[in-house]
């Protein structure tokens, strides 16, 4: 085998609690992470060097990209070959949807297979954690409780949710959001614990009522448009709505297809990026 194609799926946060800060700058968190069916496509083909190509000019293709970092890491630690990687980008950039992390996860899995490295999953997830807190989750995807820095994962049954993803035309620095959050008074919200109970109840109403994200305190204050989108989401029929990750993307949960279509068309008409999505139980997928 000298070629491989992979879909790398985006994620949202159904809940996010910030629990504290470590000495190394990472934060202790508790989250409920959920894969959705919005994905990037990556094509891998053996060659003499490690090369990344992308259909988007605003995506760096040098060694600052997590894809290249993942490939370099595997080659350095386990040996390997060259690889040409072609990335078709669909997941918005700097959006709180873990697009870069899912690309890195896809790269680890694909090269483990193409280069015949035979790295076991626990070791592969340890490597993933060294690249970023969301990368271990993106290898498996689905619905998981994440703790530690986001790398300690526990399975949950995937709820079947219909979603509208909306992103304003702003980009948010995750590092800056956490830095500013550290200056706020600590509040114990327990969003994650409540969301676990809601998912286990099987009630979409319970899930919508228990959505929560500590980082909204920072990002919505700095970018009021996010709060406006959440308000519009409810006015247009969403049962519940939340900012994903550090933002700025907002998702709404719908149980009525007509309202979902109306909301989608309304946000598009207002000039926003919008995407109708579903929850899924995987993080990456090989395809032909």
């Amino acid at each position: 085998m000298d070629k491989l194609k992979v879909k790398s799926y985006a994620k949202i946060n159904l809940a996010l609690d910030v629990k504290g800060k470590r000495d190394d700058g990472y934060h202790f968190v508790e989250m409920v992470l959920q894969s959705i069916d919005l994905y990037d496509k990556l094509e891998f083909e053996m060659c003499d060097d490690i090369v990344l190509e992308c259909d988007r000019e605003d995506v760096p293709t040098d060694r600052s990209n997590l894809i290249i970092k993942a490939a370099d890491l595997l080659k350095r630690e386990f040996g390997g070959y060259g690889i040409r990687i072609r990335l078709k980008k669909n997941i918005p950039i700097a959006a709180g949807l873990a697009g870069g992390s899912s690309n890195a996860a896809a790269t680890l899995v694909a090269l483990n297979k193409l280069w015949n490295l035979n790295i076991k999953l626990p070791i592969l997830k340890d490597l993933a954690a060294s690249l970023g807190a969301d990368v271990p989750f993106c290898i498996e995807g689905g619905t998981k409780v994440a703790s530690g820095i986001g790398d300690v994962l526990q399975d949950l049954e995937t709820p079947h949710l219909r979603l509208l993803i909306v992103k304003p035309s702003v980009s948010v620095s995750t590092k800056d959001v956490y830095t500013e959050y550290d200056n706020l008074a600590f509040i114990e919200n327990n969003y994650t614990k409540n969301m676990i109970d809601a998912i286990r109840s099987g009630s979409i109403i319970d899930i919508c009522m228990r959505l929560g994200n500590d980082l909204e305190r920072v990002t919505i204050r700095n970018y009021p448009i996010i709060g406006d989108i959440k308000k519009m989401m409810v006015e247009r029929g969403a049962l519940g709505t939340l900012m994903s990750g550090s933002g700025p993307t907002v998702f709404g949960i719908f149980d009525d297809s007509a309202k979902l279509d109306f909301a989608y068309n309304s946000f598009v008409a207002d000039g926003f990026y919008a995407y109708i999505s579903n929850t899924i139980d995987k993080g990456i997928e090989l395809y032909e």
Side-chain angles (χ1 to χ4, degrees):
M1 178 186 296
D2 61 1
K3 292 183 180 180
L4 197 59
K5 295 181 179 180
V6 184
K7 295 177 181 177
S8 70
Y9 290 97
K11 67 84 187 164
I12 57 172
N13 299 76
L14 296 175
L16 193 161
D17 295 280
V18 181
K19 295 297 186 179
K21 186 177 181 180
R22 304 195 324 180
D23 292 339
D24 61 3
Y26 277 100
H27 287 76
F28 292 109
V29 293
E30 290 182 356
M31 305 181 286
V32 177
L33 300 173
Q34 175 62 61
S35 299
I36 60 173
D37 61 2
L38 171 62
Y39 60 86
D40 292 337
K41 292 182 178 181
L42 297 95
E43 296 185 7
F44 299 85
E45 184 175 7
M46 300 284 277
C47 72
D48 295 330
D49 198 359
I50 295 176
V51 180
L52 174 61
E53 301 171 355
C54 185
D55 64 338
R56 291 270 301 268
E57 292 185 356
D58 55 344
V59 174
T61 55
D62 58 15
R63 276 170 166 70
S64 67
N65 192 298
L66 277 177
I67 293 171
I68 299 291
K69 289 181 179 181
D72 283 343
L73 175 63
L74 284 185
K75 188 171 184 178
R76 182 173 65 250
E77 297 294 328
F78 295 91
Y81 308 91
I83 196 76
R84 183 178 300 278
I85 307 165
R86 298 179 180 90
L87 171 64
K88 179 174 174 53
K89 197 74 183 160
N90 299 309
I91 303 171
I93 301 164
L97 297 173
S101 294
S102 71
N103 293 165
T107 301
L108 292 175
V109 172
L111 296 187
N112 189 32
K113 190 177 184 70
L114 277 175
W115 289 350
N116 296 311
L117 300 177
N118 298 312
I119 305 168
K120 301 299 184 184
L121 182 59
I123 297 175
L124 204 63
K125 288 167 72 173
D126 286 342
L127 293 168
S130 73
L131 294 168
D134 285 334
V135 184
F137 165 76
C138 291
I139 287 179
E140 293 186 278
T143 311
K144 287 184 169 55
V145 182
S147 56
I149 63 169
D151 58 333
V152 180
L153 302 172
Q154 172 190 345
D155 288 332
L156 280 175
E157 185 174 349
T158 297
H160 299 292
L161 305 175
R162 290 276 283 161
L163 307 165
L164 180 60
I165 309 296
V166 174
K167 180 186 179 296
S169 57
V170 298
S171 295
V172 174
S173 164
T174 298
K175 180 180 178 181
D176 290 348
V177 170
Y178 274 100
T179 298
E180 192 168 341
Y181 184 87
D182 290 336
N183 296 322
L184 301 178
F186 179 74
I187 299 174
E188 186 81 25
N189 286 307
N190 291 316
Y191 292 132
T192 299
K193 179 182 181 300
N194 294 333
M195 180 54 64
I196 293 169
D197 292 340
I199 290 173
R200 288 175 174 164
S201 78
S203 167
I204 187 174
I205 299 300
D206 284 354
I207 290 172
C208 290
M209 289 180 62
R210 298 185 184 188
L211 296 167
N213 181 344
D214 276 344
L215 298 180
E216 285 190 340
R217 295 171 63 194
V218 172
T219 313
I220 291 179
R221 182 176 64 186
N222 292 340
Y223 302 95
I225 186 62
I226 297 170
D228 296 340
I229 292 172
K230 290 186 67 179
K231 181 180 178 182
M232 288 187 285
M233 196 77 81
V234 172
E235 291 172 349
R236 293 169 179 179
L239 296 177
T241 183
L242 190 70
M243 182 185 80
S244 182
S246 57
T249 300
V250 172
F251 65 89
I253 301 174
F254 290 77
D255 68 346
D256 184 297
S257 295
K259 290 179 179 178
L260 176 56
D261 290 341
F262 169 77
Y264 169 80
N265 290 325
S266 298
F267 278 111
V268 170
D270 290 338
F272 293 102
Y273 167 91
Y275 183 84
I276 294 175
S277 186
N278 299 280
T279 53
I280 58 172
D281 62 356
K282 55 193 170 186
I284 60 174
E285 179 183 3
L286 307 182
Y287 74 101
E288 296 297 328

